[in-house]
Amino acid sequence: MAACRRVHLLLLFICFSVCTSSTWAQINGSVKLSENADNAKKQGIQKPVIPPAQPGAGEARRSTGWKLAEEQACRDDLTRLCPKHSWNNNLAVLECLQDRKEDTEISADCNHLLWNYKLNLTTDAKFENVAVEVCKSTIGEIKECAAEEKGKGYLVSCLVDHRSNITEYQCKQYITKMTTIIFSDYRLICGFMDKCRDDINTLHCGSVNTGEKDLHSQGEVIACLEKGLVSEAEEQAGRYSIKEDCKKAIMRVAELSSDDFHLDRHLYFACRDDRERFCENTPAGEGRVYKCLFNHKFEESMSDKCREALSTRQKLIAQDYKVSYSLAKACKQDLRKLRCYVDATLPKVKEAKLSYLLLCLESALHRGHGVSGECQGEMLDYRRMLMEDYSLSPEIVLHCRTEIETQCSGLHHKGRTLHCLMRVARGDKGPMDSSCQKALQSLIQETDPGADYRIDRALNEACESVIQTACKHIRNGDPMILSCLMEHLYTDKMVEDCELKLLELQYFISRDWKLDPILYRKCQNDAARLCHTHGWNETNEAMPAGAVFSCLYRHAYRTEEQGRRQDSSDVEKSTLSRDCKTEVHRILHQRALDVKLDPELQKRCMTDLGKWCSDKTEAGQELECLQDHLEELIPPCRDVVGNLTELESEDIQIETLLIRACEPAIQAYCHEVADNQIDTGDLMECLVQNKHQKEVNEKCAVGVTHFQLIQMKDFRFSYKFKMACKEDVLKLCPNIKKKVDVVICLSTTVRNDTLQDGKEQRVSVKCRKQLRVEELEMSEDIRLEPDLYESCKQDIKQLCQNVIYGNAQVVECLKEKKKQLTQRCHQKIFKLQENEMVDPELDFQLMRVCKQMIRRFCPETDAKNLLQCLKQNKNSEVMDPKCKQMITKRQITQNTDYRLNPVLRKACKADIPKFCNDVLSNARDGNELEGQVISCLKLKYADQRLSQDCEDQIRVILQESALDYRLDPQLQIHCAEEIQHICAEEVAAQEQTGQVEECLKSGLLKIKNEGCKKEVLNLLKESKADIFVDPVLHTACALDIKHQCAAIPPGRGRQMSCLMEALQDKRVRLQPECKKRLQERIEMWSFAARVAPAEGFADLRDQVWNSPAKNYILSTLGVMVGLLFLMGLMCGRITKKVTQELKDR
């Protein structure tokens, strides 16, 4: 209806022109008969001719003119198809008949009459005269048209070409109407026939002879040529190369028909019903109907023939942006201002391509140059159009044909095919040809969906729900929407389809840093300065994908220590700006979720990913897999994985999945370090220290432990350790990479320097401090000590398979079952225990269980004396039972071998080789001596032959083992059966007050095992030496010792002798319990003496010396010796007298 109203306005103008111009009347009323006759002959068909003007009827013709409605050839069709009010105007009749519905036929005679009428209008010089009169001022303004030769129809054609520049109302209306007439048949377009005749015939697009095709089909000829042009661009099979002149003519026709869809006759007839269905309220002109139909192209109710016609039109636009009236008009000034037309290195054809236009304008936007809002709106529409339909990009059709046919067939609509191709490019559906991947990358750069996610319709639809919930605070169309979606990747708010589409798009964005507009805007100066980049729409074939971003993040993580080694001016030149560094951190954190978003990593590790990680499909598993197999990777892959892991150690937030899993722990324990803008390893250190807290979930603990395990592969992977000890490692431990080996090397150096008094420490203070942290962390999990883990892997599998790693639980299990361990594992565990006893802080279980007790009893105790401090407070009433039990375990361990008791070892350094050399000669490295050396020293203690320091330590051991039989390894070994049978009740009581030992002493007569009997006798012997060694007796006589023996120092049997004398002294009254226990002890000692008589003079001497009645025995022996001496004197005198008498003789 709008078109009809426009025609009525035009008819008023034409009537006015007819009344005022005799020229117009002549054109409207005169048609050359000779031309009609010639045409009829050429056709070989008898056609009606338009009658010439009759003499004497000039006035009538001037007033009324010749009318199409009066011709017999068209009268029936006119009556049937056109409203009566239009019959008086030839142009209205022409429009009515040529714009009829496709299923409505008109006679061939009428067709021919109409065509001849239009041809005469466009070629008759008189017709040009009308144009000259109506468009006089316009022709003067358009120099090209003023210069055209008159009389050949070129003037009208020129005015049609420049109709967008016509501002004169009457001229614009006249040329618009004539454009409709001209575009109804390709043969009426000036010059088109001559340029495309051969191509039309070759492509069988139609005949140049009038009558062989219906009037409607003349639009099909141009459509056929356009399809041929598209086929050539896509290099389809059987394609034909259209001549350059014809190509230009085709594109020019498409350009001239760009503002009004009526002018594209093929599309007009194909989409007439669809226009009424989808765009009824869209007025024609300025390309509005085209855009409306483009937007509904993939609607289910859109007819196939219209969809096909629209696709052809879009493909022409892709080849020449001027075919889109709205885009060319909206961006005309911007293109001129930004000099997008001028590029001496590009052919003009490429300059006209939509892709070049978009790249140029996008470059300006990214650089911060102004582009009008109207132009940006048009850019958005056409970028979305390219993303929706892959067939609009000839390069995609040409280079991705195989992938589309085999992997992505049947997914044409709404960008699904493109996303399928992206998925293939990621490697999710098989290999992709490099030319196809390059074409995809070019398309993504042209459309630039990173700047506005709405350009990617498939992504927009898939992620709509996520955006509405997770990203609703961000303005619609903002580039940060994509960043927000990446932040929520693999979270509960993300949906699977959105996740897939997002990763597919990010795969290509990650390969061209310019496709992230925020990154480009904030880092373009840094990239140009540090990474030698080109402009936004320039490419460098030699630069690998992702190289610029790799360069940026290497500079983003330049450390302060690295900076100190350079001059301040050099540091400033080689570091990123603050804004750029923030963006690099953001993107690195997001892309670490998927190895395929790191082009360098994927390229170098493709082989290793297939070899080691083909079954790792969950988020983040591929990188973890590569890290796990770091030693087995090929060198290029190992280098890039190592570099990325080194970055993670500095900024653990790159491990996004780990940070998400540990969010509760971070909030509870590490929020202070997490809030720091720059992480320097503090956050990971905090997580390691707190990974076993109740608030830490299993996923977080496992992730932290895994990162610790990765750190063991190279000391560079521990950022704080690397920065603190890098120089020390280079100086003292060169050529060592594994962290555990570096820790051992540095620890050994520190220990050796410490043992050599007066020697200066070679390891720096800051390194020693961090070294301590690393040693403590390694003690928590056996897997953090690879050598120990490998040595005991089989033992763990057999003996501790149900024990959970962490909290040193596996190590504790191996310690408890050390008698069942293999030789190699046993030796490693013994060495570990030896180190832990020297430095109790390395005993993770002890430090964990007794953490509170250490704070209570040993807050200022040196770390190396912590176990000693705990032992001293073990029997305190406020001692935690679990801690007490752990202390007892360590005491049992220490008493199995003197080497596990550093205090005893130092105190008895001279006594051990002196008295126990026979035991040492049978010892083997890495095997416990099962308390033999300590038992040896105990006997010497009873004989009072030890040095003072050694005696003090043995006394402590005797006192401890007297309370708990488990602290006496030899007693446990030899009396295991007797303890279970004779003293079962005492064992079950677990009172640890010496009751089991008392039971064995009392049941000495029941003991048949000679080894056990000997150990019990040794207990009795030891108890004579010191009452503190006999806890039962000491408890019973504590009050009497205080009253009767207060002035007597303990040790060497002195207090025991005091009590024995008090027992014999009738004046002293002992406590009944003490008296009873003393009498029992005398009976036990007497029985022991009978059961175990002295084995030699030395043994006899020791027994006498250690006997409580030694004074009596010694007095008796003295008297006997004195009597013998007197008897000897007397006998000697007699003998001497006899001898003298003999001499005298």
Side-chain angles (χ1 to χ4, degrees):
M1 295 303 294
C4 292
R5 286 193 296 273
R6 192 174 69 254
V7 170
H8 293 160
L9 292 173
L10 182 60
L11 292 177
L12 291 174
F13 164 69
I14 291 175
C15 290
F16 172 78
S17 300
V18 170
C19 293
T20 59
S21 172
S22 62
T23 306
W24 175 253
Q26 291 173 11
I27 291 170
N28 200 31
S30 63
V31 179
K32 298 178 181 178
L33 291 172
S34 60
E35 188 176 27
N36 288 331
D38 291 342
N39 286 336
K41 289 176 183 178
K42 290 177 184 178
Q43 301 290 333
I45 303 173
Q46 295 297 322
K47 299 291 181 183
V49 294
I50 302 172
Q54 300 295 325
E59 294 299 327
R61 285 198 306 274
R62 289 187 182 94
S63 61
T64 60
W66 174 82
K67 295 183 176 58
L68 281 172
E70 296 174 355
E71 291 299 319
Q72 185 65 34
C74 293
R75 188 169 297 164
D76 293 340
D77 297 303
L78 189 67
T79 304
R80 181 164 46 91
L81 299 172
C82 301
K84 206 166 189 178
H85 64 78
S86 66
W87 291 3
N88 290 328
N89 188 281
N90 289 342
L91 295 182
V93 171
L94 180 64
E95 184 173 26
C96 171
L97 292 177
Q98 75 175 10
D99 287 353
R100 72 189 187 283
K101 291 187 177 181
E102 188 173 6
D103 56 356
T104 305
E105 297 293 336
I106 62 174
S107 67
D109 290 341
C110 185
N111 262 336
H112 185 60
L113 178 66
L114 293 176
W115 187 83
N116 277 303
Y117 176 71
K118 292 188 291 184
L119 181 61
N120 288 334
L121 285 178
T122 57
T123 58
D124 198 312
K126 296 175 183 179
F127 179 71
E128 285 189 353
N129 293 335
V130 176
V132 169
E133 187 171 337
V134 176
C135 300
K136 184 181 296 185
S137 60
T138 299
I139 295 172
E141 294 173 358
I142 303 174
K143 296 179 181 179
E144 294 88 341
C145 298
E148 290 289 358
E149 185 179 353
K150 303 296 187 294
K152 293 186 177 181
Y154 292 159
L155 176 61
V156 176
S157 180
C158 179
L159 289 172
V160 170
D161 287 356
H162 293 84
R163 68 187 187 280
S164 61
N165 297 325
I166 298 175
T167 57
E168 192 176 358
Y169 176 75
Q170 292 181 351
C171 181
K172 191 175 185 69
Q173 291 294 320
Y174 173 72
I175 292 301
T176 299
K177 176 52 62 179
M178 295 317 300
T179 302
T180 305
I181 295 171
I182 290 173
F183 276 84
S184 67
D185 195 321
Y186 72 93
R187 292 167 298 177
L188 302 179
I189 300 171
C190 180
F192 186 86
M193 190 65 193
D194 296 332
K195 294 175 182 177
C196 294
R197 184 188 304 272
D198 295 338
D199 299 293
I200 291 172
N201 289 329
T202 303
L203 292 170
H204 303 289
C205 289
S207 173
V208 296
N209 296 322
T210 307
E212 289 190 13
K213 279 195 172 283
D214 179 78
L215 176 66
H216 284 53
S217 69
Q218 297 306 306
E220 300 291 339
V221 176
I222 294 180
C224 174
L225 289 171
E226 290 174 346
K227 291 177 182 178
L229 190 61
V230 169
S231 175
E232 181 183 350
E234 296 175 355
E235 297 186 18
Q236 296 178 7
R239 63 189 178 277
Y240 166 75
S241 296
I242 300 175
K243 292 184 297 186
E244 286 299 322
D245 287 344
C246 185
K247 285 182 183 178
K248 293 178 181 177
I250 295 169
M251 297 306 292
R252 187 60 179 155
V253 169
E255 180 185 345
L256 294 175
S257 61
S258 62
D259 66 331
D260 191 344
F261 92 113
H262 291 88
L263 304 183
D264 187 333
R265 305 304 292 172
H266 170 71
L267 187 144
Y268 169 71
F269 287 116
C271 297
R272 187 157 48 181
D273 293 338
D274 298 283
R275 186 267 174 99
E276 294 299 323
R277 186 181 304 114
F278 297 112
C279 310
E280 181 181 3
N281 299 320
T282 303
E286 299 187 350
R288 287 186 288 265
V289 176
Y290 283 126
K291 289 186 66 175
C292 176
L293 291 172
F294 289 160
N295 291 334
H296 293 87
K297 175 180 170 181
F298 292 115
E299 296 288 344
E300 292 183 2
S301 55
M302 173 71 73
S303 64
D304 291 337
K305 60 182 180 179
C306 181
R307 185 179 294 118
E308 183 181 358
L310 290 172
S311 294
T312 301
R313 185 87 193 174
Q314 289 175 317
K315 291 174 183 178
L316 293 177
I317 293 173
Q319 293 192 41
D320 189 343
Y321 74 91
K322 289 177 286 186
V323 176
S324 170
Y325 177 88
S326 58
L327 178 64
K329 180 183 177 182
C331 297
K332 183 176 181 178
Q333 297 300 323
D334 297 288
L335 291 171
R336 183 180 293 114
K337 180 179 65 175
L338 299 170
R339 301 176 65 83
C340 289
Y341 294 119
V342 182
D343 193 334
T345 63
L346 295 175
K348 293 296 181 182
V349 176
K350 186 170 183 179
E351 287 185 11
K353 278 195 171 185
L354 177 63
S355 59
Y356 179 76
L357 164 78
L358 293 176
L359 285 172
C360 181
L361 294 173
E362 287 161 10
S363 174
L365 285 171
H366 284 287
R367 291 198 301 266
H369 297 312
V371 176
S372 66
E374 187 180 2
C375 181
Q376 288 189 47
E378 290 295 325
M379 289 170 60
L380 181 66
D381 290 339
Y382 282 96
R383 285 152 62 192
R384 185 187 292 119
M385 179 187 79
L386 291 174
M387 283 294 290
E388 281 187 359
D389 191 347
Y390 78 92
S391 66
L392 305 184
S393 302
E395 294 82 3
I396 299 290
V397 176
L398 172 62
H399 298 297
C400 300
R401 187 174 291 126
T402 302
E403 287 79 2
I404 292 172
E405 292 174 355
T406 58
Q407 306 282 356
C408 306
S409 60
L411 299 173
H412 185 78
H413 300 332
K414 302 180 182 179
R416 295 192 185 100
T417 302
L418 274 177
H419 269 277
C420 175
L421 290 172
M422 292 180 192
R423 191 154 59 252
V424 176
R426 275 175 52 87
D428 296 343
K429 299 183 70 173
M432 170 175 276
D433 185 75
S434 59
S435 59
C436 178
Q437 182 152 344
K438 185 176 179 182
L440 279 171
Q441 188 72 44
S442 298
L443 177 62
I444 299 300
Q445 188 178 34
E446 292 163 14
T447 55
D448 194 19
D452 190 336
Y453 73 96
R454 296 172 298 178
I455 292 169
D456 189 341
R457 181 172 178 177
L459 175 69
N460 189 13
E461 292 179 356
C463 297
E464 185 177 2
S465 61
V466 183
I467 294 170
Q468 293 301 321
T469 54
C471 311
K472 59 184 178 182
H473 60 287
I474 303 176
R475 179 177 55 85
N476 197 24
D478 193 287
M480 286 303 293
I481 290 285
L482 281 182
S483 180
C484 173
L485 291 174
M486 287 297 292
E487 293 290 342
H488 291 86
L489 200 61
Y490 305 122
T491 64
D492 294 338
K493 292 184 179 180
M494 180 58 65
V495 296
E496 184 179 1
D497 194 29
C498 177
E499 182 179 292
L500 292 174
K501 297 292 189 296
L502 181 62
L503 288 175
E504 288 156 11
L505 178 61
Q506 285 291 342
Y507 176 84
F508 287 90
I509 293 178
S510 67
R511 277 149 180 77
D512 189 345
W513 74 291
K514 297 168 291 187
L515 295 179
D516 188 312
I518 303 174
L519 174 69
Y520 182 79
R521 186 169 63 251
K522 294 188 177 181
C523 293
Q524 56 181 319
N525 293 330
D526 297 281
R529 175 168 51 88
L530 300 172
C531 309
H532 313 293
T533 57
H534 298 274
W536 194 89
N537 60 333
E538 296 176 14
T539 58
N540 186 347
E541 298 295 336
M543 185 174 290
V548 176
F549 185 71
S550 296
C551 168
L552 289 173
Y553 78 62
R554 281 195 295 272
H555 285 87
Y557 286 90
R558 292 183 68 86
T559 60
E560 294 180 6
E561 270 67 3
Q562 289 172 324
R564 292 193 192 106
R565 301 191 190 102
Q566 301 175 335
D567 296 335
S568 57
S569 59
D570 294 334
V571 172
E572 187 175 351
K573 292 177 182 178
S574 62
T575 55
L576 299 182
S577 63
R578 182 176 181 181
D579 289 344
C580 180
K581 186 180 293 186
T582 301
E583 285 306 305
V584 171
H585 287 170
R586 172 184 68 83
I587 293 174
L588 197 59
H589 294 170
Q590 293 173 357
R591 293 182 184 172
L593 293 168
D594 192 328
V595 296
K596 293 174 183 175
L597 300 183
D598 188 330
E600 185 181 16
L601 179 65
Q602 189 189 29
K603 179 180 177 181
R604 295 192 183 185
C605 298
M606 186 67 70
T607 303
D608 289 302
L609 282 168
K611 182 177 181 180
W612 304 107
C613 313
S614 58
D615 59 333
K616 306 297 182 181
T617 58
E618 297 296 326
Q621 285 187 344
E622 287 180 313
L623 180 57
E624 289 183 1
C625 171
L626 291 174
Q627 291 172 332
D628 290 338
H629 294 88
L630 187 66
E631 295 84 355
E632 293 92 357
L633 303 180
I634 59 176
C637 180
R638 189 188 311 133
D639 291 342
V640 70
V641 173
N643 291 337
L644 182 57
T645 308
E646 190 173 356
L647 286 181
E648 287 181 347
S649 71
E650 180 178 352
D651 184 4
I652 193 58
Q653 296 194 44
I654 294 175
E655 280 276 8
T656 307
L657 294 177
L658 175 62
I659 295 300
R660 289 177 186 170
C662 295
E663 188 64 31
I666 293 173
Q667 293 300 321
Y669 302 104
C670 310
H671 61 276
E672 293 182 0
V673 293
D675 292 339
N676 296 336
Q677 289 187 347
I678 300 178
D679 183 17
T680 54
D682 295 322
L683 181 56
M684 175 51 72
E685 188 174 285
C686 176
L687 289 173
V688 169
Q689 293 171 355
N690 295 281
K691 70 177 182 178
H692 294 296
Q693 298 289 349
K694 293 180 180 179
E695 292 82 359
V696 180
N697 57 60
E698 183 181 0
K699 195 172 182 180
C700 175
V702 170
V704 172
T705 301
H706 178 266
F707 194 78
Q708 287 181 279
L709 295 173
I710 299 303
Q711 287 180 322
M712 302 312 298
K713 297 177 182 291
D714 195 318
F715 81 96
R716 296 179 299 122
F717 298 165
S718 298
Y719 178 74
K720 298 193 77 170
F721 183 48
K722 175 186 72 174
M723 299 312 300
C725 298
K726 188 172 184 179
E727 295 178 359
D728 300 273
V729 172
L730 293 174
K731 180 175 64 175
L732 302 171
C733 310
N735 304 321
I736 300 178
K737 290 187 65 176
K738 286 188 176 181
K739 179 180 174 181
V740 63
D741 295 334
V742 171
V743 169
I744 292 173
C745 171
L746 293 175
S747 299
T748 303
T749 304
V750 171
R751 184 185 63 190
N752 292 340
D753 292 347
T754 303
L755 292 176
Q756 298 179 24
D757 296 333
K759 184 172 181 179
E760 184 180 355
Q761 286 283 353
R762 289 173 288 175
V763 180
S764 63
V765 175
K766 65 177 181 179
C767 181
R768 292 203 302 270
K769 183 178 179 181
Q770 189 61 35
L771 182 64
R772 189 67 181 166
V773 174
E774 301 300 330
E775 289 176 328
L776 296 178
E777 288 183 3
M778 288 168 58
S779 66
E780 182 267 336
D781 194 321
I782 190 172
R783 294 172 296 179
L784 299 179
E785 298 191 54
D787 189 34
L788 174 62
Y789 181 60
E790 288 299 321
S791 299
C792 296
K793 185 178 287 187
Q794 192 61 34
D795 300 86
I796 295 171
K797 187 176 180 180
Q798 292 180 352
L799 303 173
C800 308
Q801 58 181 349
N802 296 323
V803 179
I804 300 173
Y805 288 100
N807 275 334
Q809 294 180 88
V810 173
V811 171
E812 197 67 22
C813 171
L814 293 173
K815 289 177 182 177
E816 292 173 356
K817 299 180 180 181
K818 61 183 177 181
K819 292 183 179 180
Q820 305 173 47
L821 301 180
T822 59
Q823 182 66 20
R824 184 183 175 195
C825 180
H826 192 282
Q827 291 177 350
K828 294 291 182 182
I829 291 295
F830 180 80
K831 187 66 178 177
L832 174 69
Q833 290 179 312
E834 191 174 359
N835 292 333
E836 289 176 348
M837 295 304 177
V838 172
D839 190 350
E841 263 195 326
L842 299 179
D843 189 339
F844 187 87
Q845 276 280 24
L846 176 69
M847 301 304 295
R848 184 182 70 86
V849 174
C850 296
K851 185 176 182 179
Q852 297 301 325
M853 296 300 101
I854 290 173
R855 290 178 180 175
R856 177 187 291 270
F857 296 112
C858 317
E860 299 179 359
T861 305
D862 184 76
K864 298 186 183 301
N865 298 322
L866 282 176
L867 180 58
Q868 201 70 14
C869 172
L870 290 171
K871 285 159 61 175
Q872 292 170 1
N873 294 277
K874 171 184 170 182
N875 295 316
S876 170
E877 292 182 357
V878 293
M879 174 59 72
D880 178 64
K882 291 182 178 179
C883 179
K884 184 175 182 179
Q885 184 179 7
M886 183 58 66
I887 296 170
T888 301
K889 283 185 178 182
R890 297 300 178 258
Q891 288 179 296
I892 294 171
T893 300
Q894 281 190 324
N895 289 351
T896 58
D897 197 306
Y898 77 99
R899 291 170 293 184
L900 302 179
N901 190 333
V903 178
L904 174 67
R905 188 174 186 176
K906 182 178 180 180
C908 300
K909 183 168 58 176
D911 301 84
I912 291 173
K914 179 179 179 181
F915 299 112
C916 310
N917 193 50
D918 55 334
V919 177
L920 296 178
S921 61
N922 296 323
R924 289 184 299 173
D925 291 338
N927 289 331
E928 292 90 340
L929 297 173
E930 300 297 347
Q932 294 180 62
V933 171
I934 295 179
S935 293
C936 167
L937 293 173
K938 285 180 181 179
L939 292 174
K940 301 307 173 185
Y941 173 82
D943 295 341
Q944 301 180 5
R945 298 176 62 185
L946 300 177
S947 63
Q948 187 61 50
D949 290 342
C950 186
E951 184 176 303
D952 292 341
Q953 291 303 315
I954 292 297
R955 182 186 306 114
V956 172
I957 292 174
L958 285 169
Q959 291 172 358
E960 291 171 348
S961 59
L963 292 170
D964 190 344
Y965 74 97
R966 295 172 297 173
L967 302 183
D968 189 335
Q970 287 294 307
L971 181 65
Q972 272 199 296
I973 292 172
H974 294 294
C975 298
E977 187 175 344
E978 285 76 6
I979 291 173
Q980 293 299 323
H981 289 86
I982 300 175
C983 309
E985 293 183 5
E986 288 78 359
V987 171
Q990 295 183 351
E991 292 181 357
Q992 298 179 10
T993 55
Q995 295 301 319
V996 175
E997 289 87 342
E998 187 68 17
C999 168
L1000 289 173
K1001 293 174 186 176
S1002 303
L1004 184 58
L1005 291 173
K1006 302 176 183 178
I1007 298 174
K1008 305 300 181 182
N1009 185 342
E1010 291 299 326
C1012 180
K1013 187 180 292 185
K1014 183 177 180 181
E1015 290 300 321
V1016 176
L1017 292 172
N1018 287 337
L1019 288 177
L1020 291 170
K1021 183 178 180 181
E1022 292 160 6
S1023 64
K1024 291 182 186 180
D1026 198 327
I1027 193 170
F1028 287 96
V1029 178
D1030 191 337
V1032 175
L1033 180 62
H1034 181 263
T1035 302
C1037 298
L1039 189 61
D1040 296 292
I1041 292 173
K1042 184 178 180 180
H1043 290 158
Q1044 306 298 330
C1045 310
I1048 299 175
R1052 298 185 179 272
R1054 287 186 286 264
Q1055 289 187 340
M1056 181 67 75
S1057 298
C1058 173
L1059 286 174
M1060 295 301 292
E1061 290 174 359
L1063 178 64
Q1064 294 174 0
D1065 191 344
K1066 298 187 181 295
R1067 294 172 299 173
V1068 178
R1069 188 172 181 179
L1070 299 176
Q1071 294 293 322
E1073 184 64 21
C1074 178
K1075 186 175 182 179
K1076 175 185 175 184
R1077 292 294 181 184
L1078 280 172
Q1079 290 173 345
E1080 289 177 354
R1081 292 295 181 270
I1082 293 173
E1083 292 178 2
M1084 288 181 184
W1085 294 330
S1086 300
F1087 178 75
R1090 291 196 304 273
V1091 173
E1095 298 178 358
F1097 180 77
D1099 194 16
L1100 179 62
R1101 180 198 63 192
D1102 292 341
Q1103 287 186 9
V1104 172
W1105 187 259
N1106 293 321
S1107 172
K1110 69 176 181 180
N1111 293 334
Y1112 173 77
I1113 296 172
L1114 290 176
S1115 300
T1116 303
L1117 288 173
V1119 171
M1120 292 177 64
V1121 170
L1123 290 173
L1124 288 173
F1125 180 72
L1126 291 174
M1127 289 176 64
L1129 287 176
M1130 291 175 63
C1131 292
R1133 291 291 298 172
I1134 296 170
T1135 304
K1136 187 177 180 181
K1137 184 181 291 186
V1138 172
T1139 305
Q1140 187 63 42
E1141 290 177 352
L1142 290 174
K1143 278 184 176 182
D1144 292 342
R1145 287 180 186 177

